[in-house]
Amino acid sequence: MKQFEESVYRLIVETSTNLPADVRRAVNRGRAAEDAATRAGLALSTIAQNIEMAEQEVSPICQDTGMPTFVVHTPVGANQIEMKKSIYQAVIRATRDGKLRPNSVDSLTGSNSGDNLGPGTPVIHFEQWEEDDIDLRLILKGGGCENKNIQYSLPAELEGLGKAGRDLDGIRKCILHAVYQAQGQGCSAGFIGVGIGGDRTTGYELAKQQLFRHAEDINPHPDLQKLEEYVMETANQLGIGTMGFGGEVTLLGCKIGAMNRLPASFFVSVAYNCWAFRRQGALIDPVTGDIRSWLYESGSHVAMNAETEAAPAAPAEAPEKGREVVLQTPISEEQVRSLRVGDVVIIRGEMHTGRDALHKHLMDHDAPLDLNGAVIYHCGPVMLKDDEGWHVKAAGPTTSSREEPYQGHILKKFGIRAVIGKGGMGANTLQALQEHGAVYLNAIGGAAQYYAECIQRVNGVDFMEFGIPEAMWHLQVDGFAAIVTMDSHGNSLHADVSRDSKAKLEMFKEPVFA
C-alpha cells in the first residue's frame, strides 16, 4: 500500500479540477435547451468555459471545495486505520497545493485549521465488502448547495402544493418543493439526490449516496424510475433557471433511492448539488495502493459545447440580455443610479472580498481602508503564496443571503456602491440599495477559474486571523463581468423569479401518482 496516499491525492486533484463525462454531457444538454441570448444562456456559456479552464489549469472548478467526503469499500482484513492516516496526509497536501480550499472551521471559535483537518473533517465512511479491490470515492459538495439540502416529515403542508401525504404523490410534492425553495441559490442548474425513508440521519445519507450514481443510469425500481423522469420534466417547467435568472433549465439530474422506515416516521430527504458536480472514484490495488481504473468516465474528451442530441427549445418570452456597462472603481452614486436589472456590468479597478466574518466585524468596527465607492465581493478564494506574494487560484462568488442581516447597514456606513455575490439578497438589502444608491451584481456561481482570470494581482490582505476564505482580500481586476439583479430603483430579479416560479409550482398541486 505504499502508493495509497499518492492515489488518494490523485483522486482529490481529479475530483476538484475535472468534471466527469456524464456531468459534462448533462451541462451540454442544458445549454442546448436554453436560448443563448438570455441571462441563463450567458451563465451556461460561462459555466462551460469555466469547466474547460479548470481542466487546463488543473485548478479547482469552484473555489468552495466543500467538505471532502470519502466513501471507501475495503476487502476483509484491510487496515482501515492506516488508510485513514494516508487520506489525512493526502488532504493536507492537496490543501497546501491549492487543490482544496482550507474549509475546516472550529464550530465554537470560528478558527480555521488551515489544512482541512479537524474533528469530523474530512468525512470518511468505511465499509467492508467481499471483493478484492478497494473502491474509493470522493464527493466535493460546496456549502452553497449544502445549505439548500432539505428534509420533509410527511404528512406536511407545502407552500404552493398543499398537503403532501405518506405516498408516492406526497414524495413527488416534496421533491418539487425542494427545487423551488432552492431558487437557484445552490448554483443551479443542479442535481438532486433523494432519500425516501430511514431516520433523520440515514435519510440524508441515502440522499447523498444517490449523488454517486451515474447521471445517465436508469433506476431499477419502476416507480422510482417514473418519479425521476417526472421530476426532470416538471422541475424544468418552474422557470427558475440557471443561477435563478429564469429560463428553461433548472435541474440537470435527479436520482432517488428508498429504504425502510419506522411506522411513526416518513422522511423525504433531498441533497442538492450544484452544476459543479464534483465526484469521482477509483478502484485501487489493495497490495500496492495503485489506481487500477477510474470509476467515472473522464470528462477530458467531452467538449463543452451545446451540440447534443437534444433539440434546442424555443423559450417563451425569454428576457434579453441588458446593455453592457463598464465601471471603474471607485464608483459614483450617479453611475449606480443609471443601472437597471439585466444590465451586464464590467468592473475595472480594485474590489474587496468579504464574507461572514468580515461583515460581522464591520458592523461594530472601522474598515481597514476607505470603502467609499467601493465594490465588495462575497467570495472566499483559493490562495497560494510564493516568493512573489499571494496568487488567486480560484475566486467564484459565495451565497449572499448569509450577509442579509448586515449588508444594508454596511452599505450605508461605509459608502459601498456595489455588492457582488450569487443568489440575491432580501428586502432589507433592497431597501438599502434604494436609499443609499447601490446595486447588487450576480456573478456566476462556481465559475472560479473564469473570475480568477480577471484578477490581475493581489494588492493586499487584512484580517488573516479569520482564515484565508474569510480574510479581506484587496484585488485588482479587469474585465470582471456580473449581471445587475437588484438595482437602486427597487427592482429585484430574484423576487420576480420567486413569485413567478411559485405560480408555476401551484400548477402541479393535483395528484399525479395514484
Side-chain angles (χ1 to χ4, degrees), residues 111-440:
S111 175
N112 192 311
S113 70
D115 60 6
N116 272 309
L117 298 190
T121 58
V123 175
I124 307 174
H125 297 288
F126 281 107
E127 187 171 339
Q128 287 187 336
W129 65 348
E130 293 181 331
E131 302 287 344
D132 294 331
D133 290 324
I134 297 168
D135 182 311
L136 175 63
R137 304 190 189 213
L138 169 64
I139 187 168
L140 300 175
K141 188 170 181 293
C145 58
E146 187 72 10
N147 288 343
K148 302 315 294 185
N149 292 353
I150 191 168
Q151 189 173 71
Y152 302 88
S153 179
L154 296 179
E157 190 75 23
L158 301 179
E159 180 186 15
L161 291 167
K163 183 179 179 180
R166 291 184 162 194
D167 53 22
L168 197 61
D169 211 69
I171 296 166
R172 171 190 72 87
K173 289 184 176 182
C174 289
I175 299 172
L176 288 182
H177 185 269
V179 176
Y180 161 74
Q181 63 87 35
Q183 282 296 310
Q185 291 183 26
C187 288
S188 63
F191 299 78
I192 55 173
V194 181
I196 303 168
D199 60 18
R200 287 199 180 274
T201 301
T202 58
Y204 265 131
E205 288 179 349
L206 178 63
K208 186 169 281 191
Q209 287 169 12
Q210 301 310 301
L211 297 176
F212 282 104
R213 286 172 51 190
H214 196 286
E216 295 158 350
D217 73 5
I218 295 176
N219 199 310
H221 192 294
D223 286 340
L224 297 185
Q225 177 189 341
K226 291 177 184 176
L227 185 55
E228 288 177 355
E229 293 171 351
Y230 170 87
V231 170
M232 284 301 299
E233 177 183 350
T234 308
N236 286 324
Q237 297 177 35
L238 295 178
I240 297 168
T242 302
M243 295 296 130
F245 290 164
E248 304 300 306
V249 185
T250 300
L251 203 60
L252 296 172
C254 173
K255 302 298 176 185
I256 306 171
M259 61 169 54
N260 283 10
R261 59 178 176 84
L262 291 168
S265 302
F266 198 125
F267 298 113
V268 178
S269 310
V270 181
Y272 191 98
N273 204 95
C274 58
W275 65 261
F277 188 9
R278 293 158 293 170
R279 53 99 169 93
Q280 185 53 271
L283 285 180
I284 295 177
D285 189 305
V287 177
T288 66
D290 287 318
I291 293 176
R292 284 182 171 169
S293 62
W294 295 103
L295 295 173
Y296 301 91
E297 180 187 3
S298 171
S300 299
H301 68 280
V302 179
M304 293 312 302
N305 55 60
E307 296 176 7
T308 69
E309 297 178 4
E317 300 179 5
E320 296 297 321
K321 290 183 291 184
R323 63 198 175 109
E324 188 172 292
V325 180
V326 178
L327 294 179
Q328 176 76 42
T329 63
I331 304 169
S332 69
E333 180 179 355
E334 181 182 8
Q335 289 174 305
V336 165
R337 295 283 188 191
S338 71
L339 298 173
R340 294 292 190 278
V341 163
D343 289 343
V344 177
V345 172
I346 312 296
I347 296 176
R348 295 174 178 167
E350 188 175 56
M351 66 169 58
H352 316 277
T353 67
R355 284 170 46 110
D356 308 60
L358 180 72
H359 280 74
K360 183 176 183 296
H361 177 84
L362 291 181
M363 289 290 287
D364 302 312
H365 300 85
D366 291 334
L369 73 172
D370 184 7
L371 294 178
N372 190 43
V375 176
I376 288 290
Y377 184 24
H378 295 162
C379 171
V382 176
M383 307 292 295
L384 286 183
K385 190 176 185 181
D386 59 19
D387 293 339
E388 297 179 357
W390 287 101
H391 303 278
V392 180
K393 304 304 292 182
T398 193
T399 304
S400 296
S401 58
R402 301 195 310 272
E403 317 313 337
E404 179 66 14
Y406 315 113
Q407 198 68 75
H409 176 76
I410 290 172
L411 281 170
K412 292 184 274 190
K413 179 179 178 181
F414 296 103
I416 295 165
R417 293 296 173 192
V419 175
I420 303 175
K422 69 175 184 183
M425 304 193 74
N428 289 338
T429 298
L430 184 61
Q431 183 176 346
L433 297 178
Q434 290 179 263
E435 293 175 356
H436 169 62
V439 67
Y440 177 84

